[in-house]
Amino acid sequence: ATRATNKTKERLKNMNLASPAPTVEQAEAAPAPREASARANHALQSEAVQVEPAPRVDAATPVDDPRSHAPANVVTAATKSMEQAQQELGVEAFRALSPAGKLDFESYAAVIRGGPQKNIFRKCLPCVFDERDFVAYGEVKHFVGVLGQSCIVYAEETSQKPYYAIDLTQFTALQEDSDNPDPQSWTISPDPDTNRQRRSLVNILLKTKKERKQAFQFTFDTEDDPSLAKRFLDVVTATKNTKEKVVDGVLVEEGKGSKTTM
């Protein structure tokens, strides 16, 4: 047994084991020092804040007419009469003016106010310089509504404000002969390489009663509804026998892309 113990010690010695940890004293923590309790001083009473009233000044007085400094379109809108302001109604409001809740006529159409401008050569030598004036249908396409004697032209069917309000009793309506176009009318979207308007596009012209000058041109695309232009013409012609005047015929707002020569 003694020999086995010595062999074991010899083996442990040859294994290069670490020496055992030395014995240390037991750790002791010192108590925290005692501090005096914190005390807050009472808030000091301050004097009441006194605000002095603002000095009184005289009312502002313009030295000149402020409208002279405003843009022209702002001045025009500000000086509209009450009757013109009342005419600025949307399509739904226009329909609501009818007891039946619908207009006598409504559709999209190309609408142009006035006729083409003609220079001195076109007036004096029409056989040489009187070429037709063209405009694309989509450029002047608007929504048209008629109720009684009144025709209102909008940008779209959903518009809340009209472009034109027209008293139809002030004009004579006629359908243009496509084979013999009126010299005061426009050609809308002509066929390629020709001066002729597409057959599906029908022009209804509103002429002044005395001078027979072109006031408005309505062009309807009758490809899907061949009776469209005729129905508009019938409604306009029937205004001679009615006394229902919804709005006065005035220009409410200049439309974008519309041709204007009046």
Side-chain angles (χ1 to χ4, degrees):
T2 303
R3 185 179 297 177
T5 301
N6 292 334
K7 287 183 178 181
T8 301
K9 291 181 178 180
E10 186 68 22
R11 288 177 181 176
L12 293 175
K13 182 178 180 180
N14 294 333
M15 292 177 65
N16 296 323
L17 298 178
S19 302
T23 303
V24 296
E25 298 179 357
Q26 183 177 1
E28 294 182 359
R34 185 170 183 177
E35 301 288 344
S37 58
R39 294 182 180 181
N41 296 328
H42 296 286
L44 301 177
Q45 186 176 1
S46 61
E47 298 180 357
V49 178
Q50 296 182 354
V51 179
E52 297 181 357
R56 186 171 181 176
V57 297
D58 296 333
T61 304
V63 296
D64 54 8
D65 186 359
R67 292 178 299 177
S68 61
H69 304 287
N73 59 338
V74 176
V75 175
T76 302
T79 55
K80 284 182 178 179
S81 66
M82 184 61 67
E83 291 181 354
Q84 288 175 319
Q86 292 173 350
Q87 292 163 13
E88 298 180 1
L89 72 166
V91 176
E92 290 299 328
F94 190 28
R95 289 177 179 145
L97 295 179
S98 170
K102 62 179 182 179
L103 302 176
D104 299 333
F105 176 89
E106 59 179 77
S107 172
Y108 278 96
V111 184
I112 302 179
R113 199 165 61 98
Q117 293 283 2
K118 295 183 183 256
N119 57 30
I120 186 65
F121 298 103
R122 298 179 66 179
K123 291 180 179 179
C124 298
L125 300 172
C127 60
V128 179
F129 297 98
D130 194 21
E131 296 183 357
R132 298 286 297 173
D133 289 85
F134 308 115
V135 62
Y137 179 86
E139 183 182 353
V140 288
K141 180 182 178 182
H142 299 302
F143 184 78
V144 178
V146 179
L147 180 61
Q149 299 178 359
S150 302
C151 175
I152 297 186
V153 180
Y154 298 88
E156 302 286 346
E157 187 176 358
T158 57
S159 297
Q160 299 300 314
K161 185 178 180 180
Y163 278 158
Y164 307 107
I166 306 169
D167 182 1
L168 296 174
T169 62
Q170 304 299 315
F171 308 101
T172 299
L174 57 92
Q175 180 173 330
E176 182 183 56
D177 183 359
S178 59
D179 295 325
N180 186 26
D182 191 291
Q184 298 182 31
S185 70
W186 298 78
T187 298
I188 307 297
S189 296
D191 284 324
D193 302 324
T194 69
N195 287 340
R196 297 181 61 87
Q197 192 166 283
R198 286 193 288 117
R199 287 291 183 180
S200 62
L201 298 177
V202 180
N203 295 338
I204 303 297
L205 310 179
L206 296 187
K207 301 280 190 177
T208 57
K209 292 184 176 180
K210 292 183 179 181
E211 297 84 2
R212 302 293 292 179
K213 292 183 179 181
Q214 180 161 307
F216 294 91
Q217 175 175 328
F218 294 80
T219 302
F220 296 92
D221 190 348
T222 62
E223 185 173 359
D224 297 329
D225 184 1
S227 67
L228 187 60
K230 180 63 166 56
R231 288 192 287 112
F232 176 76
L233 180 62
D234 291 342
V235 169
V236 175
T237 304
T239 59
K240 298 179 181 179
N241 302 321
T242 180
K243 296 182 179 180
E244 182 183 4
K245 186 176 182 181
V246 181
V247 295
D248 292 329
V250 296
L251 173 65
V252 177
E253 177 184 330
E254 187 63 43
K256 293 182 179 179
S258 61
K259 300 295 181 180
T260 318
T261 58
M262 291 182 65

PDB file of all heavy atoms in Angstrom, residues 37 43 46 49 56-57 89 97 106-107 116 126 141 145 157 162 169 200 208 222 224 227 256:
ATOM      1  N   SER A  37     -30.005  65.009   6.271  1.00  0.00           N
ATOM      2  CA  SER A  37     -31.155  65.013   5.354  1.00  0.00           C
ATOM      3  C   SER A  37     -31.218  66.350   4.602  1.00  0.00           C
ATOM      4  O   SER A  37     -30.891  67.406   5.131  1.00  0.00           O
ATOM      5  CB  SER A  37     -32.451  64.788   6.134  1.00  0.00           C
ATOM      6  OG  SER A  37     -32.609  65.794   7.117  1.00  0.00           O
ATOM      7  N   ALA A  43     -40.638  78.737  -1.382  1.00  0.00           N
ATOM      8  CA  ALA A  43     -40.632  79.699  -2.484  1.00  0.00           C
ATOM      9  C   ALA A  43     -40.920  81.098  -1.970  1.00  0.00           C
ATOM     10  O   ALA A  43     -41.770  81.295  -1.091  1.00  0.00           O
ATOM     11  CB  ALA A  43     -41.700  79.307  -3.511  1.00  0.00           C
ATOM     12  N   SER A  46     -43.341  86.796  -5.013  1.00  0.00           N
ATOM     13  CA  SER A  46     -42.895  87.867  -5.893  1.00  0.00           C
ATOM     14  C   SER A  46     -44.028  88.849  -6.150  1.00  0.00           C
ATOM     15  O   SER A  46     -45.205  88.557  -5.870  1.00  0.00           O
ATOM     16  CB  SER A  46     -42.400  87.292  -7.228  1.00  0.00           C
ATOM     17  OG  SER A  46     -43.463  86.608  -7.871  1.00  0.00           O
ATOM     18  N   VAL A  49     -47.327  90.674 -11.788  1.00  0.00           N
ATOM     19  CA  VAL A  49     -46.899  91.220 -13.078  1.00  0.00           C
ATOM     20  C   VAL A  49     -47.941  92.216 -13.571  1.00  0.00           C
ATOM     21  O   VAL A  49     -49.136  91.934 -13.590  1.00  0.00           O
ATOM     22  CB  VAL A  49     -46.712  90.090 -14.105  1.00  0.00           C
ATOM     23  CG1 VAL A  49     -46.311  90.654 -15.452  1.00  0.00           C
ATOM     24  CG2 VAL A  49     -45.681  89.092 -13.600  1.00  0.00           C
ATOM     25  N   ARG A  56     -53.505 103.269 -28.259  1.00  0.00           N
ATOM     26  CA  ARG A  56     -54.566 103.301 -29.254  1.00  0.00           C
ATOM     27  C   ARG A  56     -54.095 104.064 -30.491  1.00  0.00           C
ATOM     28  O   ARG A  56     -53.477 105.126 -30.381  1.00  0.00           O
ATOM     29  CB  ARG A  56     -55.808 103.980 -28.677  1.00  0.00           C
ATOM     30  CG  ARG A  56     -57.009 103.939 -29.595  1.00  0.00           C
ATOM     31  CD  ARG A  56     -58.244 104.429 -28.876  1.00  0.00           C
ATOM     32  NE  ARG A  56     -59.407 104.365 -29.747  1.00  0.00           N
ATOM     33  CZ  ARG A  56     -60.648 104.672 -29.350  1.00  0.00           C
ATOM     34  NH1 ARG A  56     -60.858 105.045 -28.091  1.00  0.00           N
ATOM     35  NH2 ARG A  56     -61.639 104.575 -30.202  1.00  0.00           N
ATOM     36  N   VAL A  57     -54.388 103.469 -31.655  1.00  0.00           N
ATOM     37  CA  VAL A  57     -53.997 104.096 -32.916  1.00  0.00           C
ATOM     38  C   VAL A  57     -55.236 104.299 -33.778  1.00  0.00           C
ATOM     39  O   VAL A  57     -56.271 103.670 -33.564  1.00  0.00           O
ATOM     40  CB  VAL A  57     -52.967 103.225 -33.671  1.00  0.00           C
ATOM     41  CG1 VAL A  57     -51.687 103.085 -32.865  1.00  0.00           C
ATOM     42  CG2 VAL A  57     -53.537 101.851 -33.985  1.00  0.00           C
ATOM     43  N   LEU A  89     -73.046  78.241 -60.855  1.00  0.00           N
ATOM     44  CA  LEU A  89     -73.579  77.037 -60.260  1.00  0.00           C
ATOM     45  C   LEU A  89     -73.062  75.830 -61.018  1.00  0.00           C
ATOM     46  O   LEU A  89     -72.821  75.885 -62.222  1.00  0.00           O
ATOM     47  CB  LEU A  89     -75.108  77.056 -60.271  1.00  0.00           C
ATOM     48  CG  LEU A  89     -75.855  76.882 -61.594  1.00  0.00           C
ATOM     49  CD1 LEU A  89     -77.310  76.590 -61.321  1.00  0.00           C
ATOM     50  CD2 LEU A  89     -75.771  78.136 -62.464  1.00  0.00           C
ATOM     51  N   LEU A  97     -82.503  72.900 -60.672  1.00  0.00           N
ATOM     52  CA  LEU A  97     -83.421  74.007 -60.944  1.00  0.00           C
ATOM     53  C   LEU A  97     -84.659  73.548 -61.706  1.00  0.00           C
ATOM     54  O   LEU A  97     -85.670  74.243 -61.723  1.00  0.00           O
ATOM     55  CB  LEU A  97     -82.700  75.096 -61.751  1.00  0.00           C
ATOM     56  CG  LEU A  97     -81.540  75.809 -61.053  1.00  0.00           C
ATOM     57  CD1 LEU A  97     -80.903  76.828 -61.978  1.00  0.00           C
ATOM     58  CD2 LEU A  97     -82.016  76.486 -59.771  1.00  0.00           C
ATOM     59  N   GLU A 106     -78.518  67.789 -72.498  1.00  0.00           N
ATOM     60  CA  GLU A 106     -77.160  67.803 -71.966  1.00  0.00           C
ATOM     61  C   GLU A 106     -76.301  66.815 -72.741  1.00  0.00           C
ATOM     62  O   GLU A 106     -76.745  65.716 -73.079  1.00  0.00           O
ATOM     63  CB  GLU A 106     -77.132  67.488 -70.471  1.00  0.00           C
ATOM     64  CG  GLU A 106     -77.715  66.149 -70.071  1.00  0.00           C
ATOM     65  CD  GLU A 106     -77.613  65.921 -68.565  1.00  0.00           C
ATOM     66  OE1 GLU A 106     -78.423  66.507 -67.832  1.00  0.00           O
ATOM     67  OE2 GLU A 106     -76.694  65.169 -68.161  1.00  0.00           O
ATOM     68  N   SER A 107     -75.089  67.227 -73.034  1.00  0.00           N
ATOM     69  CA  SER A 107     -74.160  66.393 -73.797  1.00  0.00           C
ATOM     70  C   SER A 107     -72.811  67.093 -73.862  1.00  0.00           C
ATOM     71  O   SER A 107     -72.698  68.288 -73.587  1.00  0.00           O
ATOM     72  CB  SER A 107     -74.694  66.153 -75.213  1.00  0.00           C
ATOM     73  OG  SER A 107     -73.722  65.493 -76.011  1.00  0.00           O
ATOM     74  N   PRO A 116     -63.497  82.760 -86.672  1.00  0.00           N
ATOM     75  CA  PRO A 116     -62.065  83.008 -86.897  1.00  0.00           C
ATOM     76  C   PRO A 116     -61.792  84.467 -87.255  1.00  0.00           C
ATOM     77  O   PRO A 116     -62.602  85.120 -87.916  1.00  0.00           O
ATOM     78  CB  PRO A 116     -61.732  82.080 -88.079  1.00  0.00           C
ATOM     79  CG  PRO A 116     -62.861  81.100 -88.134  1.00  0.00           C
ATOM     80  CD  PRO A 116     -64.062  81.809 -87.623  1.00  0.00           C
ATOM     81  N   PRO A 126     -60.945  86.740-100.704  1.00  0.00           N
ATOM     82  CA  PRO A 126     -61.323  85.462-100.091  1.00  0.00           C
ATOM     83  C   PRO A 126     -61.072  84.267-100.987  1.00  0.00           C
ATOM     84  O   PRO A 126     -60.820  83.160-100.496  1.00  0.00           O
ATOM     85  CB  PRO A 126     -62.821  85.654 -99.819  1.00  0.00           C
ATOM     86  CG  PRO A 126     -63.261  86.703-100.779  1.00  0.00           C
ATOM     87  CD  PRO A 126     -62.090  87.622-100.937  1.00  0.00           C
ATOM     88  N   LYS A 141     -63.516  70.766 -76.268  1.00  0.00           N
ATOM     89  CA  LYS A 141     -64.609  69.911 -75.819  1.00  0.00           C
ATOM     90  C   LYS A 141     -65.092  70.345 -74.439  1.00  0.00           C
ATOM     91  O   LYS A 141     -64.294  70.491 -73.512  1.00  0.00           O
ATOM     92  CB  LYS A 141     -64.148  68.456 -75.777  1.00  0.00           C
ATOM     93  CG  LYS A 141     -65.219  67.473 -75.320  1.00  0.00           C
ATOM     94  CD  LYS A 141     -64.652  66.058 -75.272  1.00  0.00           C
ATOM     95  CE  LYS A 141     -65.688  65.071 -74.762  1.00  0.00           C
ATOM     96  NZ  LYS A 141     -65.133  63.685 -74.674  1.00  0.00           N
ATOM     97  N   GLY A 145     -75.297  72.099 -71.144  1.00  0.00           N
ATOM     98  CA  GLY A 145     -76.612  71.845 -70.563  1.00  0.00           C
ATOM     99  C   GLY A 145     -77.582  72.941 -70.941  1.00  0.00           C
ATOM    100  O   GLY A 145     -77.214  74.123 -70.963  1.00  0.00           O
ATOM    101  N   GLU A 157     -68.664  67.356 -66.888  1.00  0.00           N
ATOM    102  CA  GLU A 157     -69.982  67.099 -66.305  1.00  0.00           C
ATOM    103  C   GLU A 157     -69.950  67.229 -64.787  1.00  0.00           C
ATOM    104  O   GLU A 157     -70.978  67.463 -64.154  1.00  0.00           O
ATOM    105  CB  GLU A 157     -70.464  65.698 -66.702  1.00  0.00           C
ATOM    106  CG  GLU A 157     -71.897  65.399 -66.276  1.00  0.00           C
ATOM    107  CD  GLU A 157     -72.390  64.057 -66.769  1.00  0.00           C
ATOM    108  OE1 GLU A 157     -71.630  63.357 -67.473  1.00  0.00           O
ATOM    109  OE2 GLU A 157     -73.541  63.693 -66.451  1.00  0.00           O
ATOM    110  N   PRO A 162     -69.446  77.186 -64.135  1.00  0.00           N
ATOM    111  CA  PRO A 162     -69.568  77.184 -65.600  1.00  0.00           C
ATOM    112  C   PRO A 162     -68.550  78.074 -66.284  1.00  0.00           C
ATOM    113  O   PRO A 162     -67.943  78.941 -65.666  1.00  0.00           O
ATOM    114  CB  PRO A 162     -70.989  77.718 -65.817  1.00  0.00           C
ATOM    115  CG  PRO A 162     -71.214  78.642 -64.655  1.00  0.00           C
ATOM    116  CD  PRO A 162     -70.478  78.033 -63.485  1.00  0.00           C
ATOM    117  N   THR A 169     -82.389  83.060 -76.443  1.00  0.00           N
ATOM    118  CA  THR A 169     -83.352  83.882 -77.178  1.00  0.00           C
ATOM    119  C   THR A 169     -82.682  85.014 -77.942  1.00  0.00           C
ATOM    120  O   THR A 169     -83.318  85.651 -78.789  1.00  0.00           O
ATOM    121  CB  THR A 169     -84.398  84.459 -76.221  1.00  0.00           C
ATOM    122  OG1 THR A 169     -83.739  85.306 -75.264  1.00  0.00           O
ATOM    123  CG2 THR A 169     -85.140  83.351 -75.487  1.00  0.00           C
ATOM    124  N   SER A 200     -69.131  62.631 -89.058  1.00  0.00           N
ATOM    125  CA  SER A 200     -69.814  62.407 -87.779  1.00  0.00           C
ATOM    126  C   SER A 200     -69.878  63.670 -86.918  1.00  0.00           C
ATOM    127  O   SER A 200     -70.626  63.720 -85.943  1.00  0.00           O
ATOM    128  CB  SER A 200     -69.121  61.291 -86.997  1.00  0.00           C
ATOM    129  OG  SER A 200     -67.778  61.655 -86.693  1.00  0.00           O
ATOM    130  N   THR A 208     -76.082  86.056 -84.350  1.00  0.00           N
ATOM    131  CA  THR A 208     -76.807  87.213 -83.829  1.00  0.00           C
ATOM    132  C   THR A 208     -77.959  87.531 -84.786  1.00  0.00           C
ATOM    133  O   THR A 208     -77.834  87.371 -86.004  1.00  0.00           O
ATOM    134  CB  THR A 208     -75.877  88.422 -83.709  1.00  0.00           C
ATOM    135  OG1 THR A 208     -75.305  88.712 -84.983  1.00  0.00           O
ATOM    136  CG2 THR A 208     -74.765  88.150 -82.705  1.00  0.00           C
ATOM    137  N   THR A 222     -71.688  62.812 -83.608  1.00  0.00           N
ATOM    138  CA  THR A 222     -72.909  62.002 -83.738  1.00  0.00           C
ATOM    139  C   THR A 222     -72.621  60.557 -84.121  1.00  0.00           C
ATOM    140  O   THR A 222     -73.527  59.846 -84.563  1.00  0.00           O
ATOM    141  CB  THR A 222     -73.828  62.626 -84.806  1.00  0.00           C
ATOM    142  OG1 THR A 222     -73.151  62.607 -86.075  1.00  0.00           O
ATOM    143  CG2 THR A 222     -74.176  64.064 -84.448  1.00  0.00           C
ATOM    144  N   ASP A 224     -72.030  57.944 -82.247  1.00  0.00           N
ATOM    145  CA  ASP A 224     -72.795  57.006 -81.427  1.00  0.00           C
ATOM    146  C   ASP A 224     -74.270  57.378 -81.335  1.00  0.00           C
ATOM    147  O   ASP A 224     -75.111  56.521 -81.028  1.00  0.00           O
ATOM    148  CB  ASP A 224     -72.198  56.940 -80.008  1.00  0.00           C
ATOM    149  CG  ASP A 224     -70.779  56.398 -80.015  1.00  0.00           C
ATOM    150  OD1 ASP A 224     -70.457  55.573 -80.894  1.00  0.00           O
ATOM    151  OD2 ASP A 224     -69.986  56.818 -79.147  1.00  0.00           O
ATOM    152  N   SER A 227     -78.827  61.457 -83.700  1.00  0.00           N
ATOM    153  CA  SER A 227     -79.830  62.495 -83.444  1.00  0.00           C
ATOM    154  C   SER A 227     -79.347  63.579 -82.496  1.00  0.00           C
ATOM    155  O   SER A 227     -80.104  64.498 -82.166  1.00  0.00           O
ATOM    156  CB  SER A 227     -81.100  61.856 -82.861  1.00  0.00           C
ATOM    157  OG  SER A 227     -80.849  61.317 -81.563  1.00  0.00           O
ATOM    158  N   LYS A 256     -60.224  77.457 -70.520  1.00  0.00           N
ATOM    159  CA  LYS A 256     -58.895  77.137 -71.047  1.00  0.00           C
ATOM    160  C   LYS A 256     -59.047  76.435 -72.403  1.00  0.00           C
ATOM    161  O   LYS A 256     -59.854  75.532 -72.550  1.00  0.00           O
ATOM    162  CB  LYS A 256     -58.143  76.228 -70.082  1.00  0.00           C
ATOM    163  CG  LYS A 256     -57.783  76.897 -68.761  1.00  0.00           C
ATOM    164  CD  LYS A 256     -56.997  75.955 -67.882  1.00  0.00           C
ATOM    165  CE  LYS A 256     -56.609  76.639 -66.572  1.00  0.00           C
ATOM    166  NZ  LYS A 256     -55.851  75.729 -65.687  1.00  0.00           N
TER     167      LYS A 256
END
